[in-house]
């Protein structure tokens, strides 16, 4: 397809559904544990039995207030609930309790980093609502089943302004929200389990036009990569349709990750189609000033604050601080390693290098690391105090990963202490020079890059145990004689 960036502009807004990590549901005491047998965690309220009434879970208010603060938003008090009417088999009430006119969070913003610098994205609102159940199509041949375990699970729907213009910006915004909810510990953000899902509203218009194009909504995309691909496809599809003389239909679409396409799901509903009206079984909620202050007093250090502290306290580069602070677990692991190693920069390098590579190889999270923060810190200590070289440290790291042994035990058992004796290193260098007369002649004739060759040969002869700085210093003096 034609490169849309030449003549067209995309206008993107995201609706992010975040499942709040409460122990019980939004309006009932039923458990929210993931993975239980179908319909074992649904009570009379979730089943919409006659005569039952919803009771608001106070914990969701605390979580929503924290998110509002993190998004620089207003907290509405009173905040109220409404019925959003629609009939789906997995919603036994025939309506969803949500928020319409008085969402708990409104008018915020979030700054994201783009290739063109920092960009501010408006956050229209974040409102509380209950999740629906789930239709099961594969378990019964020719029929569908209904699992209501998710029915009533508390969600916060975070709605952005249509101020995102590229798939890359959409992913940056989504990752920032993901980082924030995990720092606040209001959700585990597990997209594979549906704890965070994204609806992408996409339209296109010619550059310079002010009028928005007709938008489509791609529903329930559940990974950063798929969000980027789905939006990219939808932008190109809409431009192709318009340039072919066709019109865009306002509709809800589904993303097919196997085919990397979107396809129509249903016509897009308007707010009027839902016939919102105030929820008669729930009074508006007044959030007392003392309640909000009490919640705000429990706010943790947020990603942006942590990034700034990593730069000022540990003298990390902005790049390193951004990477480490983006993930709460990784940031905590880094601080634990640094407490032992007392070397922030080397600790950052090891976490973002060797450790991340091993975690990716085995598809593990940093909390599942086979090398603990204390052992990695001890390993870095042995590099810093000259006991081992950086090369040997990589071998030891692999042994810790596979055996779980202590750093000093591996060094002692395998005789891996670094060679720092000048005479021993000189002897190795003399041997290497003697065995490579042709390279010596070329080096002395001006082929400076052969210096690396000699260093490599000496390190190889020492089985990686010679102190690299001493090797460099002594070798240089000998080659220049």
């Amino acid at each position: 397809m034609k490169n849309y960036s030449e003549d067209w502009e995309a206008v993107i807004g995201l609706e992010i559904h975040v499942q709040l990590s409460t122990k019980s549901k939004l309006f009932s005491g039923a458990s929210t544990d993931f993975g239980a047998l179908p319909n074992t965690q649904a009570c009379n309220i979730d089943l919409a039995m006659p005569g039952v009434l919803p009771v608001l879970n106070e914990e969701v208010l605390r979580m929503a207030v924290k998110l509002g603060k993190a998004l620089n938003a207003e907290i509405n008090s009173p905040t109220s609930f409404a019925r959003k009417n629609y009939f789906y088999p997995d919603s036994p009430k025939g309506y969803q309790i949500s928020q319409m006119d008085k969402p708990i969070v409104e008018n915020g913003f979030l700054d994201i980093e783009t290739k063109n610098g920092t960009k501010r994205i408006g956050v229209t609102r974040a409102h509380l609502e209950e999740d629906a159940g789930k239709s099961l199509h594969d378990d019964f041949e020719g029929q569908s089943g209904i699992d209501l375990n998710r029915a009533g699970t508390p969600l916060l729907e975070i709605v952005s302004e249509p101020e995102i213009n590229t798939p890359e910006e959409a992913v940056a915004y989504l990752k920032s929200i993901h980082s924030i909810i995990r720092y606040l510990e209001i959700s585990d953000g597990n997209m594979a389990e549906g704890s965070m899902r994204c609806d992408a509203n996409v339209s296109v218009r010619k550059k310079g036009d002010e009028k928005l194009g007709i938008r489509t909504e791609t529903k329930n995309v559940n990974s950063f990569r798929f969000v980027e691909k789905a939006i990219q496809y939808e932008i190109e599809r809409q431009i192709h349709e318009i340039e072919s003389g066709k019109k865009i239909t306002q509709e809800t679409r589904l993303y097919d990750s196997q085919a990397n396409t979107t396809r129509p799901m249903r016509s897009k509903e308007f707010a009027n189609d839902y016939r919102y009206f105030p929820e008669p079984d729930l009074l508006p909620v007044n959030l007392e000033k003392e309640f909000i202050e009490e919640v705000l007093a429990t706010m943790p250090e947020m990603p942006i604050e942590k990034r700034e502290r990593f730069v000022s306290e540990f003298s990390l580069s902005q790049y390193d601080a951004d990477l480490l602070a983006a993930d709460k677990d990784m940031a905590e692991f880094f601080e634990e390693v640094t407490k032992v190693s007392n070397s922030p920069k080397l600790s950052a390098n090891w976490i973002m290098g060797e450790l991340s590579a091993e975690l990716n190889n085995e598809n593990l999270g940093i909390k599942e690391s086979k090398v603990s923060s204390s052992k990695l810190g001890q390993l870095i200590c042995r590099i810093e105090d000259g006991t081992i070289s950086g090369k040997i440290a990589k071998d030891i790291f692999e042994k810790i990963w596979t055996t779980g042994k202590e750093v000093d035990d591996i060094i002692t058992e395998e005789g891996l202490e670094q060679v720092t004796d000048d005479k021993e290193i000189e002897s190795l260098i003399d041997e290497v020079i003697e065995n490579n007369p042709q390279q010596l002649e070329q080096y002395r004739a001006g082929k400076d890059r052969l210096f690396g060759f000699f260093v490599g040969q000496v390190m190889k002869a020492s089985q990686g145990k010679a102190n690299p700085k001493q090797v460099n210093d002594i070798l240089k003096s000998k080659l220049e004689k």
Side-chain angles (χ1 to χ4, degrees):
M1 291 185 183
K2 185 178 179 180
N3 184 354
Y4 67 83
S5 64
E6 293 175 2
D7 307 309
W8 295 86
E9 177 184 53
V11 179
I12 303 161
L14 296 185
E15 297 174 13
I16 302 171
H17 291 83
V18 173
Q19 179 179 326
L20 298 177
S21 54
T22 54
K23 292 181 179 175
S24 57
K25 294 183 178 177
L26 182 53
F27 300 116
S28 81
S31 172
T32 57
D33 282 350
F34 179 80
L37 289 172
N39 296 312
T40 58
Q41 295 183 167
C43 68
N44 286 341
I45 293 175
D46 307 321
L47 297 173
M49 298 299 284
V52 297
L53 293 174
V55 178
L56 180 62
N57 184 340
E58 183 180 313
E59 192 59 25
V60 302
L61 300 175
R62 297 178 185 278
M63 293 180 171
V65 169
K66 287 183 181 179
L67 180 76
K69 170 69 174 175
L71 295 178
N72 311 289
E74 300 165 10
I75 307 298
N76 280 330
S77 180
T79 182
S80 59
F81 290 90
R83 288 190 180 181
K84 182 181 179 182
N85 293 279
Y86 62 87
F87 178 77
Y88 287 137
D90 54 13
S91 177
K93 286 201 291 282
Y95 61 85
Q96 176 188 36
I97 301 179
S98 181
Q99 295 193 290
M100 179 64 177
D101 295 326
K102 283 288 185 180
I104 190 165
V105 173
E106 205 167 15
N107 301 323
F109 66 84
L110 182 62
D111 290 335
I112 62 170
E113 295 304 318
T114 74
K115 63 181 180 182
N116 297 318
T118 302
K119 180 173 180 177
R120 178 159 295 181
I121 306 296
V123 176
T124 314
R125 56 190 280 151
H127 59 262
L128 290 161
E129 64 183 24
E130 57 182 347
D131 205 352
K134 181 181 176 184
S135 297
L136 306 173
H137 302 297
D138 299 330
D139 297 3
F140 310 97
E141 187 175 351
Q143 303 178 61
S144 291
I146 300 296
D147 176 10
L148 293 174
N149 280 356
R150 288 187 67 91
T153 298
L155 303 176
L156 256 176
E157 181 175 339
I158 306 165
V159 182
S160 82
E161 290 290 305
E163 296 174 343
I164 298 168
N165 297 114
T166 67
E168 294 78 16
E169 288 179 7
V171 172
Y173 174 82
L174 191 59
K175 284 185 174 178
S176 292
I177 294 287
H178 186 261
S179 179
I180 285 170
I181 62 173
R182 285 182 51 77
Y183 265 78
L184 292 173
E185 298 182 343
I186 63 173
S187 173
D188 62 19
N190 189 325
M191 298 182 80
E193 294 180 359
S195 300
M196 183 171 164
R197 314 188 293 268
C198 177
D199 301 342
N201 291 289
V202 178
S203 66
V204 298
R205 63 185 175 189
K206 280 289 183 71
K207 284 186 176 175
D209 286 354
E210 292 189 1
K211 185 180 177 183
L212 293 172
I214 295 173
R215 65 185 168 90
T216 62
E217 180 184 43
T218 303
K219 294 286 288 183
N220 291 333
V221 192
N222 65 350
S223 85
F224 299 124
R225 187 164 61 92
F226 290 164
V227 166
E228 185 171 4
K229 285 176 169 285
I231 291 174
Q232 180 72 31
Y233 177 84
E234 191 56 20
I235 291 170
E236 295 184 2
R237 184 192 70 83
Q238 291 188 19
I239 293 170
H240 180 73
E241 292 285 279
I242 295 170
E243 293 191 338
S244 300
K246 299 176 184 175
K247 291 185 177 178
I248 302 301
T249 302
Q250 179 159 322
E251 61 188 357
T252 300
R253 299 179 69 86
L254 282 176
Y255 176 64
D256 182 338
S257 60
Q258 297 293 322
N260 189 31
T261 60
T262 64
R263 65 171 186 270
M265 178 182 176
R266 60 174 183 262
S267 61
K268 172 65 181 173
E269 298 89 345
F270 294 87
N272 287 343
D273 295 332
Y274 291 120
R275 295 175 291 111
Y276 279 96
F277 64 84
E279 166 57 58
D281 291 334
L282 289 166
L283 291 171
V285 179
N286 286 302
L287 299 170
E288 301 290 344
K289 182 181 175 184
E290 292 76 13
F291 173 83
I292 295 176
E293 289 176 348
E294 176 195 329
V295 173
L296 297 184
T298 65
M299 289 286 287
E301 183 181 41
M302 297 305 293
I304 189 169
E305 297 164 337
K306 200 175 282 290
R307 281 198 299 270
E308 291 170 358
R309 183 168 63 80
F310 281 1
V311 171
S312 63
E313 183 176 335
F314 297 128
S315 300
L316 294 184
S317 68
Q318 192 66 51
Y319 177 80
D320 288 352
D322 284 349
L323 282 178
L324 290 169
D327 183 278
K328 181 173 182 282
D329 293 338
M330 184 174 286
E332 290 176 350
F333 193 94
F334 162 73
E335 294 204 75
E336 290 166 3
V337 173
T338 301
K339 280 180 186 172
V340 178
S341 71
N342 200 29
S343 177
K345 176 58 181 168
L346 201 50
S347 299
N349 290 347
W350 272 85
I351 291 169
M352 293 186 293
E354 299 297 321
L355 181 66
S356 291
E358 289 293 349
L359 294 173
N360 290 336
N361 284 341
E362 299 194 19
N363 196 27
L364 299 175
I366 199 160
K367 281 192 167 181
E368 302 164 298
S369 172
K370 295 178 183 177
V371 175
S372 68
S373 56
S374 63
K375 285 182 181 174
L376 183 55
Q378 288 160 11
L379 182 66
I380 294 169
C381 281
R382 292 296 168 261
I383 301 171
E384 291 287 66
D385 66 16
T387 303
I388 56 173
S389 66
K391 184 176 184 307
I392 291 292
K394 291 181 181 180
D395 296 336
I396 295 174
F397 178 84
E398 291 294 332
K399 289 183 171 66
I400 301 172
W401 186 272
T402 53
T403 68
K405 287 186 175 180
E406 297 295 328
V407 176
D408 289 342
D409 289 347
I410 295 173
I411 293 172
T412 303
E413 288 171 7
E414 303 193 17
L416 297 175
E417 291 89 349
Q418 187 166 229
V419 176
T420 55
D421 183 273
D422 281 352
K423 289 184 177 176
E424 192 172 345
I425 292 174
E426 278 188 45
S427 173
L428 289 168
I429 289 173
D430 290 341
E431 187 177 336
V432 167
I433 290 175
E434 185 179 342
N435 292 338
N436 295 279
Q438 187 177 352
Q439 286 81 358
L440 178 63
E441 185 178 341
Q442 290 173 342
Y443 176 81
R444 286 179 172 163
K447 206 170 180 178
D448 293 345
R449 61 195 173 114
L450 281 172
F451 186 78
F453 164 79
F454 284 107
V455 172
Q457 292 299 307
V458 175
M459 295 304 294
K460 183 179 178 183
S462 73
Q463 298 180 315
K465 292 190 284 186
N467 181 293
K469 185 176 184 310
Q470 287 173 271
V471 169
N472 275 270
D473 292 345
I474 297 171
L475 180 63
K476 193 168 187 178
S477 68
K478 284 186 173 287
L479 290 176
E480 292 177 355
K481 278 184 179 176

